[in-house]
Amino acid sequence: MTHSLPFSGVESQILSQVPLNRRTTWRIGGVTRWLATPKNCEELAQLWRQSADDIPRFLLGGGSNILVEDSGFNGLAVNLSQHINQIKLLDDDEGLQIMAEAGASTSALAHFARLHSLTGAEFLGGIPGTIGGAVKMNAGANGGDIAKILINAQLLDCNGNSHIWPVEKLGLGYRKSQIPKGWIFVKGTFKLKHGEQKAIKEKMRQFNQHRLKSQPLNYASAGSTFKNPTKGPAAWKLIDDAGFRGMRIGDAQVSEKHSNFLVNLGKATSYDMLALIDKIREKVIQKTGESLNLEVAILGPQGFRGKDL
Ligand SMILES: Cc1cc2nc3c(=O)[nH]c(=O)nc-3n(C[C@H](O)[C@H](O)[C@H](O)COP(=O)(O)OP(=O)(O)OC[C@H]3O[C@@H](n4cnc5c(N)ncnc54)[C@H](O)[C@@H]3O)c2cc1C
């Protein structure tokens, strides 16, 4: 169902009561009250300016790093994948810079770079989701992360005004950024290096092989559920040692293949997943004193729990 109120004068398509379980990789969650898919950056700015401050709102990328509660989201979700997804080579002296918009997929950027014989973005090839989500989370793998290749970003503040920030200002760290609350990443410039296309392709193939071997990619998940502690054993090891491999609550299960991947066997609810998360945290802290922090963000009716945006 399309819906224009309460965003008067905004032309973007706005659907109402849209199930979010079909738009997240965990396949869990209730409906969002509205979902907007702006046609271009001007419409996005207009929408952001005009959606009242008292309406909860958030940017939905590929939904590969969020757990939406069964009660859904009582506000405006905005998705840029459909229209704000351009990737192009920039006209710099060395031909090393790429502009990518927030809604483009991370793997599209990796393949675009490969086609232009540019190296440095291979790690993005197997990470699901969009450039927007990847910048917000400083996504990374195989020794690479967004912070290493992004040079600047165009952002919209809460009132829809545009700002260009150098990467240093974004505060990118281990699976986090300090993009201010309520701001949107719209597009970024990435700087890569010249490389050999065959070698780039081979690197991407190897990264994907490793993923296939080590991750339960045939099940719905959000990747690693917990962040690795700054020192000591990785999260998967702590979960494993606490005896959780294969443990199940309803249809939420700790993967047999990778203990930091919690998978949805089919009909898991957010209630099941959160119960499993709580159980793991409780046991790990009891056993090791280590408090596991979530990598995934939890979205409830009023927004992200304990998080910005
Ligand atoms: C099988 C699997 C494997 C994975 N492997 C990896 C991995 O190797 N490395 C890794 O880092 N992650 C990994 N992930 C997690 C996830 O893919 C990344 O965090 C990804 O970058 C999230 O992007 P997204 O577009 O899906 O973001 P979403 O999940 O939609 O959103 C994540 C956060 O970003 C915000 N956001 C989205 N777009 C914007 C925007 N334009 N402006 C501001 N904020 C925005 C959202 O509001 C939310 O807070 C994996 C996930 C899966 C399912």
PDB file of all heavy atoms in Angstrom, residues 265-284:
ATOM      1  N   LEU A 265      16.742 -21.260  11.610  1.00  0.00           N
ATOM      2  CA  LEU A 265      16.489 -22.537  10.916  1.00  0.00           C
ATOM      3  C   LEU A 265      15.203 -22.489  10.095  1.00  0.00           C
ATOM      4  O   LEU A 265      14.921 -23.412   9.344  1.00  0.00           O
ATOM      5  CB  LEU A 265      16.410 -23.681  11.934  1.00  0.00           C
ATOM      6  CG  LEU A 265      17.704 -23.959  12.713  1.00  0.00           C
ATOM      7  CD1 LEU A 265      17.471 -25.042  13.771  1.00  0.00           C
ATOM      8  CD2 LEU A 265      18.839 -24.362  11.776  1.00  0.00           C
ATOM      9  N   GLY A 266      14.424 -21.434  10.236  1.00  0.00           N
ATOM     10  CA  GLY A 266      13.216 -21.321   9.415  1.00  0.00           C
ATOM     11  C   GLY A 266      12.192 -20.369  10.009  1.00  0.00           C
ATOM     12  O   GLY A 266      11.789 -19.405   9.384  1.00  0.00           O
ATOM     13  N   LYS A 267      11.828 -20.658  11.264  1.00  0.00           N
ATOM     14  CA  LYS A 267      10.724 -19.862  11.832  1.00  0.00           C
ATOM     15  C   LYS A 267      11.147 -19.128  13.102  1.00  0.00           C
ATOM     16  O   LYS A 267      10.310 -18.832  13.962  1.00  0.00           O
ATOM     17  CB  LYS A 267       9.552 -20.785  12.158  1.00  0.00           C
ATOM     18  CG  LYS A 267       8.876 -21.375  10.918  1.00  0.00           C
ATOM     19  CD  LYS A 267       7.484 -21.891  11.279  1.00  0.00           C
ATOM     20  CE  LYS A 267       6.645 -22.216  10.071  1.00  0.00           C
ATOM     21  NZ  LYS A 267       7.022 -23.454   9.411  1.00  0.00           N
ATOM     22  N   ALA A 268      12.440 -18.847  13.226  1.00  0.00           N
ATOM     23  CA  ALA A 268      12.907 -18.181  14.458  1.00  0.00           C
ATOM     24  C   ALA A 268      12.255 -16.814  14.586  1.00  0.00           C
ATOM     25  O   ALA A 268      12.040 -16.112  13.598  1.00  0.00           O
ATOM     26  CB  ALA A 268      14.419 -18.029  14.420  1.00  0.00           C
ATOM     27  N   THR A 269      11.957 -16.444  15.817  1.00  0.00           N
ATOM     28  CA  THR A 269      11.434 -15.109  16.110  1.00  0.00           C
ATOM     29  C   THR A 269      12.573 -14.311  16.757  1.00  0.00           C
ATOM     30  O   THR A 269      13.594 -14.884  17.159  1.00  0.00           O
ATOM     31  CB  THR A 269      10.270 -15.198  17.119  1.00  0.00           C
ATOM     32  OG1 THR A 269      10.790 -15.813  18.315  1.00  0.00           O
ATOM     33  CG2 THR A 269       9.131 -16.035  16.563  1.00  0.00           C
ATOM     34  N   SER A 270      12.359 -12.997  16.878  1.00  0.00           N
ATOM     35  CA  SER A 270      13.399 -12.204  17.544  1.00  0.00           C
ATOM     36  C   SER A 270      13.469 -12.623  19.012  1.00  0.00           C
ATOM     37  O   SER A 270      14.523 -12.560  19.637  1.00  0.00           O
ATOM     38  CB  SER A 270      13.113 -10.714  17.420  1.00  0.00           C
ATOM     39  OG  SER A 270      11.991 -10.347  18.197  1.00  0.00           O
ATOM     40  N   TYR A 271      12.351 -13.072  19.539  1.00  0.00           N
ATOM     41  CA  TYR A 271      12.308 -13.536  20.925  1.00  0.00           C
ATOM     42  C   TYR A 271      13.261 -14.733  21.113  1.00  0.00           C
ATOM     43  O   TYR A 271      14.049 -14.774  22.056  1.00  0.00           O
ATOM     44  CB  TYR A 271      10.863 -13.926  21.266  1.00  0.00           C
ATOM     45  CG  TYR A 271      10.661 -14.295  22.694  1.00  0.00           C
ATOM     46  CD1 TYR A 271      10.442 -13.324  23.663  1.00  0.00           C
ATOM     47  CD2 TYR A 271      10.691 -15.640  23.097  1.00  0.00           C
ATOM     48  CE1 TYR A 271      10.264 -13.660  24.997  1.00  0.00           C
ATOM     49  CE2 TYR A 271      10.512 -15.992  24.421  1.00  0.00           C
ATOM     50  CZ  TYR A 271      10.294 -14.990  25.362  1.00  0.00           C
ATOM     51  OH  TYR A 271      10.128 -15.332  26.680  1.00  0.00           O
ATOM     52  N   ASP A 272      13.213 -15.682  20.175  1.00  0.00           N
ATOM     53  CA  ASP A 272      14.113 -16.853  20.229  1.00  0.00           C
ATOM     54  C   ASP A 272      15.571 -16.390  20.141  1.00  0.00           C
ATOM     55  O   ASP A 272      16.431 -16.830  20.909  1.00  0.00           O
ATOM     56  CB  ASP A 272      13.897 -17.794  19.029  1.00  0.00           C
ATOM     57  CG  ASP A 272      12.503 -18.392  18.974  1.00  0.00           C
ATOM     58  OD1 ASP A 272      11.869 -18.525  20.034  1.00  0.00           O
ATOM     59  OD2 ASP A 272      12.051 -18.720  17.843  1.00  0.00           O
ATOM     60  N   MET A 273      15.837 -15.518  19.158  1.00  0.00           N
ATOM     61  CA  MET A 273      17.212 -15.106  18.904  1.00  0.00           C
ATOM     62  C   MET A 273      17.777 -14.345  20.095  1.00  0.00           C
ATOM     63  O   MET A 273      18.907 -14.574  20.520  1.00  0.00           O
ATOM     64  CB  MET A 273      17.233 -14.243  17.633  1.00  0.00           C
ATOM     65  CG  MET A 273      18.537 -14.206  16.906  1.00  0.00           C
ATOM     66  SD  MET A 273      19.297 -15.816  16.555  1.00  0.00           S
ATOM     67  CE  MET A 273      18.604 -16.283  14.990  1.00  0.00           C
ATOM     68  N   LEU A 274      16.941 -13.446  20.667  1.00  0.00           N
ATOM     69  CA  LEU A 274      17.421 -12.658  21.811  1.00  0.00           C
ATOM     70  C   LEU A 274      17.620 -13.544  23.042  1.00  0.00           C
ATOM     71  O   LEU A 274      18.545 -13.324  23.821  1.00  0.00           O
ATOM     72  CB  LEU A 274      16.428 -11.523  22.110  1.00  0.00           C
ATOM     73  CG  LEU A 274      16.457 -10.395  21.065  1.00  0.00           C
ATOM     74  CD1 LEU A 274      15.269  -9.454  21.239  1.00  0.00           C
ATOM     75  CD2 LEU A 274      17.771  -9.612  21.141  1.00  0.00           C
ATOM     76  N   ALA A 275      16.776 -14.563  23.179  1.00  0.00           N
ATOM     77  CA  ALA A 275      16.926 -15.473  24.317  1.00  0.00           C
ATOM     78  C   ALA A 275      18.251 -16.224  24.191  1.00  0.00           C
ATOM     79  O   ALA A 275      18.991 -16.407  25.172  1.00  0.00           O
ATOM     80  CB  ALA A 275      15.751 -16.448  24.369  1.00  0.00           C
ATOM     81  N   LEU A 276      18.581 -16.635  22.960  1.00  0.00           N
ATOM     82  CA  LEU A 276      19.841 -17.361  22.730  1.00  0.00           C
ATOM     83  C   LEU A 276      21.033 -16.428  22.986  1.00  0.00           C
ATOM     84  O   LEU A 276      22.016 -16.817  23.632  1.00  0.00           O
ATOM     85  CB  LEU A 276      19.851 -17.896  21.287  1.00  0.00           C
ATOM     86  CG  LEU A 276      20.930 -18.898  20.918  1.00  0.00           C
ATOM     87  CD1 LEU A 276      20.960 -20.095  21.866  1.00  0.00           C
ATOM     88  CD2 LEU A 276      20.725 -19.403  19.471  1.00  0.00           C
ATOM     89  N   ILE A 277      20.931 -15.205  22.490  1.00  0.00           N
ATOM     90  CA  ILE A 277      21.991 -14.211  22.703  1.00  0.00           C
ATOM     91  C   ILE A 277      22.228 -14.001  24.208  1.00  0.00           C
ATOM     92  O   ILE A 277      23.360 -14.028  24.691  1.00  0.00           O
ATOM     93  CB  ILE A 277      21.613 -12.874  21.998  1.00  0.00           C
ATOM     94  CG1 ILE A 277      21.772 -13.021  20.483  1.00  0.00           C
ATOM     95  CG2 ILE A 277      22.433 -11.702  22.520  1.00  0.00           C
ATOM     96  CD1 ILE A 277      21.211 -11.869  19.654  1.00  0.00           C
ATOM     97  N   ASP A 278      21.139 -13.814  24.952  1.00  0.00           N
ATOM     98  CA  ASP A 278      21.258 -13.573  26.402  1.00  0.00           C
ATOM     99  C   ASP A 278      21.895 -14.748  27.113  1.00  0.00           C
ATOM    100  O   ASP A 278      22.733 -14.582  27.993  1.00  0.00           O
ATOM    101  CB  ASP A 278      19.863 -13.318  27.016  1.00  0.00           C
ATOM    102  CG  ASP A 278      19.370 -11.919  26.692  1.00  0.00           C
ATOM    103  OD1 ASP A 278      20.175 -11.111  26.193  1.00  0.00           O
ATOM    104  OD2 ASP A 278      18.159 -11.648  26.906  1.00  0.00           O
ATOM    105  N   LYS A 279      21.492 -15.933  26.709  1.00  0.00           N
ATOM    106  CA  LYS A 279      22.015 -17.153  27.341  1.00  0.00           C
ATOM    107  C   LYS A 279      23.528 -17.256  27.119  1.00  0.00           C
ATOM    108  O   LYS A 279      24.287 -17.584  28.030  1.00  0.00           O
ATOM    109  CB  LYS A 279      21.325 -18.372  26.720  1.00  0.00           C
ATOM    110  CG  LYS A 279      20.773 -19.283  27.760  1.00  0.00           C
ATOM    111  CD  LYS A 279      20.076 -20.468  27.177  1.00  0.00           C
ATOM    112  CE  LYS A 279      19.919 -21.438  28.344  1.00  0.00           C
ATOM    113  NZ  LYS A 279      18.830 -22.230  28.358  1.00  0.00           N
ATOM    114  N   ILE A 280      23.943 -16.977  25.889  1.00  0.00           N
ATOM    115  CA  ILE A 280      25.373 -17.050  25.556  1.00  0.00           C
ATOM    116  C   ILE A 280      26.159 -16.030  26.389  1.00  0.00           C
ATOM    117  O   ILE A 280      27.177 -16.349  26.997  1.00  0.00           O
ATOM    118  CB  ILE A 280      25.593 -16.777  24.042  1.00  0.00           C
ATOM    119  CG1 ILE A 280      25.018 -17.917  23.220  1.00  0.00           C
ATOM    120  CG2 ILE A 280      27.059 -16.546  23.724  1.00  0.00           C
ATOM    121  CD1 ILE A 280      24.957 -17.671  21.717  1.00  0.00           C
ATOM    122  N   ARG A 281      25.650 -14.801  26.412  1.00  0.00           N
ATOM    123  CA  ARG A 281      26.376 -13.741  27.134  1.00  0.00           C
ATOM    124  C   ARG A 281      26.509 -14.088  28.613  1.00  0.00           C
ATOM    125  O   ARG A 281      27.567 -13.913  29.213  1.00  0.00           O
ATOM    126  CB  ARG A 281      25.634 -12.414  26.994  1.00  0.00           C
ATOM    127  CG  ARG A 281      25.650 -11.899  25.597  1.00  0.00           C
ATOM    128  CD  ARG A 281      24.861 -10.639  25.495  1.00  0.00           C
ATOM    129  NE  ARG A 281      25.721  -9.489  25.670  1.00  0.00           N
ATOM    130  CZ  ARG A 281      25.355  -8.259  25.342  1.00  0.00           C
ATOM    131  NH1 ARG A 281      24.174  -8.033  24.849  1.00  0.00           N
ATOM    132  NH2 ARG A 281      26.178  -7.267  25.523  1.00  0.00           N
ATOM    133  N   GLU A 282      25.416 -14.583  29.155  1.00  0.00           N
ATOM    134  CA  GLU A 282      25.386 -14.902  30.587  1.00  0.00           C
ATOM    135  C   GLU A 282      26.423 -15.969  30.921  1.00  0.00           C
ATOM    136  O   GLU A 282      27.213 -15.827  31.856  1.00  0.00           O
ATOM    137  CB  GLU A 282      23.975 -15.405  30.892  1.00  0.00           C
ATOM    138  CG  GLU A 282      23.531 -15.277  32.316  1.00  0.00           C
ATOM    139  CD  GLU A 282      22.122 -15.849  32.437  1.00  0.00           C
ATOM    140  OE1 GLU A 282      21.189 -15.252  31.845  1.00  0.00           O
ATOM    141  OE2 GLU A 282      21.966 -16.906  33.084  1.00  0.00           O
ATOM    142  N   LYS A 283      26.420 -17.035  30.108  1.00  0.00           N
ATOM    143  CA  LYS A 283      27.321 -18.165  30.389  1.00  0.00           C
ATOM    144  C   LYS A 283      28.780 -17.772  30.162  1.00  0.00           C
ATOM    145  O   LYS A 283      29.670 -18.145  30.937  1.00  0.00           O
ATOM    146  CB  LYS A 283      26.916 -19.342  29.478  1.00  0.00           C
ATOM    147  CG  LYS A 283      27.650 -20.629  29.703  1.00  0.00           C
ATOM    148  CD  LYS A 283      27.082 -21.396  30.890  1.00  0.00           C
ATOM    149  CE  LYS A 283      27.864 -22.643  31.227  1.00  0.00           C
ATOM    150  NZ  LYS A 283      27.561 -23.757  30.339  1.00  0.00           N
ATOM    151  N   VAL A 284      29.047 -17.004  29.082  1.00  0.00           N
ATOM    152  CA  VAL A 284      30.426 -16.632  28.771  1.00  0.00           C
ATOM    153  C   VAL A 284      30.987 -15.732  29.865  1.00  0.00           C
ATOM    154  O   VAL A 284      32.129 -15.908  30.302  1.00  0.00           O
ATOM    155  CB  VAL A 284      30.528 -15.976  27.366  1.00  0.00           C
ATOM    156  CG1 VAL A 284      31.878 -15.314  27.166  1.00  0.00           C
ATOM    157  CG2 VAL A 284      30.289 -17.013  26.276  1.00  0.00           C
TER     158      VAL A 284
END
